[in-house]
Structure formats: structure tokens, C-alpha cells
Amino acid sequence: DTEVTQTPKHLVMGMTNKKSLKCEQHMGHRAMYWYKQKAKKPPELMFVYSYEKLSINESVPSRFSPECPNSSLLNLHLHALQPEDSALYLCASSHSGTSPYEQYFGPGTRLTVT
Amino acid sequence: SQKIEQNSEALNIQEGKTATLTCNYTNYSPAYLQWYRQDPGRGPVFLLLIRENEKEKRKERLKVTFDTTLKQSLFHITASQPADSATYLCALVGYNTDKLIFGTGTRLQVFP
């Protein structure tokens, strides 16, 4: 199984809502990632988890809160978002370490903040 | 600051021709470079990886070159087909890190 799944596919939320994005992989990968992608722009790294520990936080606002409950799951908790946070949120996974491993991306969650 | 630019936002070519996409970077010393394909509304899909000490890599109709002196990678698709139409992203990875930095992307359109 070389698939990364993400739920929901689409999400519309108000600025006062709290919601969560979910990501799952069963490839035994120990690195998992959250990216944000705006239209016609490349993905921008938000967070990296390596062996279930947060290893990289790209100075993301605290209204985005990642969580890695186990090696297969990655969540992104959203609270008090702004309209400019509307984007495609991509999850990815890879083997972790110093060797060059490709990343496997999920289909993304299209988030709209109203 | 680090900068990764791909030669053009869009590239249109005729079916059967070779598409050549360029990735240039500054203020960075990557350990290796990857190329991804992204279709609209989908996540990127890995295509090829090349290490800093490798000059060229091939996979079927795809070829990647990496010149660390010029700080440039070229990505070629030979005998291009309309199904190759997509956005292509280069991505750099440094040493001892899982962090991938993506280039600006090139939208390739192959017309019959």
C-alpha cells in the first residue's frame, strides 16, 4: 500500500470554528509532513514529524497545531483561522534519516475559511 | 536567502517533441534534487531523484541532469504526449534533513 489518505477532501469553516485535518499512511514511514499550497504556487512546508516527534516547525502561526498520535497518523488542528489561510493542505510521508527518500503525498484537503 | 526558480511558468510544446524544464537555485548547497509532477487538485507525485555527485539520471522517457557548478538541473521528457501535461516541480534537500524546498513550478502543456 503506497497511499497517503487525507480527510476531509473539502472543508469550509468560519473564523471562530475549530476543526481538524487527518492524514494516514501504512507504508512504515517514520517522517510525516504538512504543507500548505496556494493556487499556482509550490507547496510550502509547515511541519515535519520524525519518529513521532516534531522536528521542524517553519514558524507557522499557533492557530495551526500539529499532532502525531502514532507513526501512521498525523493531524492538523485548526482554530481561529483567517481567510488568507484558505488553501490546499497536503500531507506527505517518507522514510526518515540522512538518505535521500522521496515523499509520498496525499490528495490534499481543500480548506476555505469564511 | 535561498531561491529556487524554474525557467518559465508555462511551457507549450507539440506532441512527440522533447520538453526541457530548468531549475536554478541560489544560496543553497543541496545534497540531492528531486522532480515531482502535480496534476490540478492533486498532491505531487515523485518522478526522479539525483544526488549532488551524479551528473545524469534516466527513467523511461525522463532524464534529469544536475550541474552543481552552474547550480542548475535540467529535466527532459522525450517523445512527449498530451498525458504529460501537468505542473512539474523541482525540489532541493540539504544534508541531514528531511526538509524539501520546492521550486516555483513549470506548467507543461503538450498539444497534439
Side-chain angles (χ1 to χ4, degrees), chain A:
Chain A
D1 182 5
T2 58
E3 193 180 19
V4 176
T5 58
Q6 289 187 244
T7 55
K9 284 190 175 3
H10 301 275
L11 179 62
V12 179
M13 60 185 290
M15 290 190 283
T16 58
N17 290 158
K18 281 186 183 181
K19 296 285 184 184
S20 296
L21 308 184
K22 295 185 185 303
C23 173
E24 190 166 5
Q25 58 88 13
H26 294 288
M27 293 177 276
H29 290 166
R30 301 311 297 270
M32 295 187 77
Y33 311 77
W34 280 115
Y35 290 86
K36 173 182 176 180
Q37 186 174 28
K38 301 282 267 185
K40 299 194 178 192
K41 296 288 185 186
E44 292 179 16
L45 183 67
M46 299 174 72
F47 302 104
V48 181
Y49 272 84
S50 182
Y51 292 88
E52 293 117 70
K53 286 186 172 26
L54 184 65
S55 60
I56 297 176
N57 176 342
E58 291 290 287
S59 303
V60 178
S62 60
R63 58 185 183 267
F64 295 91
S65 175
E67 179 198 17
C68 190
N70 60 54
S71 59
S72 300
L73 290 174
L74 187 66
N75 299 322
L76 186 63
H77 303 297
L78 314 173
H79 173 54
L81 294 193
Q82 304 296 310
E84 59 264 29
D85 296 323
S86 298
L88 182 68
Y89 287 83
L90 293 162
C91 173
S93 71
S94 73
H95 294 289
S96 184
T98 57
S99 293
Y101 294 112
E102 65 268 30
Q103 293 189 13
Y104 291 78
F105 284 82
T109 293
R110 176 73 60 190
L111 174 68
T112 303
V113 182
T114 60

Side-chain angles (χ1 to χ4, degrees), chain B residues 14-100:
Chain B
Q14 192 170 23
E15 183 176 10
K17 302 288 187 188
T18 296
T20 298
L21 286 64
T22 305
C23 176
N24 294 294
Y25 60 93
T26 55
N27 298 322
Y28 200 72
S29 295
Y32 56 97
L33 185 148
Q34 301 181 4
W35 283 88
Y36 287 80
R37 167 186 173 139
Q38 187 173 24
D39 291 285
R42 309 288 295 271
V45 174
F46 171 78
L47 296 174
L48 276 170
L49 177 154
I50 187 164
R51 297 171 193 263
E52 51 136 3
N53 59 354
E54 295 176 318
K55 296 291 185 192
E56 183 179 298
K57 267 285 189 61
R58 290 175 187 261
K59 180 182 174 184
E60 297 170 356
R61 293 186 296 113
L62 308 180
K63 185 176 89 171
V64 173
T65 63
F66 195 10
D67 188 327
T68 54
T69 303
L70 291 178
K71 295 186 183 295
Q72 181 182 81
S73 174
L74 299 179
F75 178 78
H76 307 273
I77 306 175
T78 58
S80 58
Q81 304 164 1
D84 295 326
S85 299
T87 295
Y88 290 85
L89 297 156
C90 67
L92 303 184
V93 186
Y95 295 90
N96 300 317
T97 178
D98 292 318
K99 181 175 172 178
L100 208 60

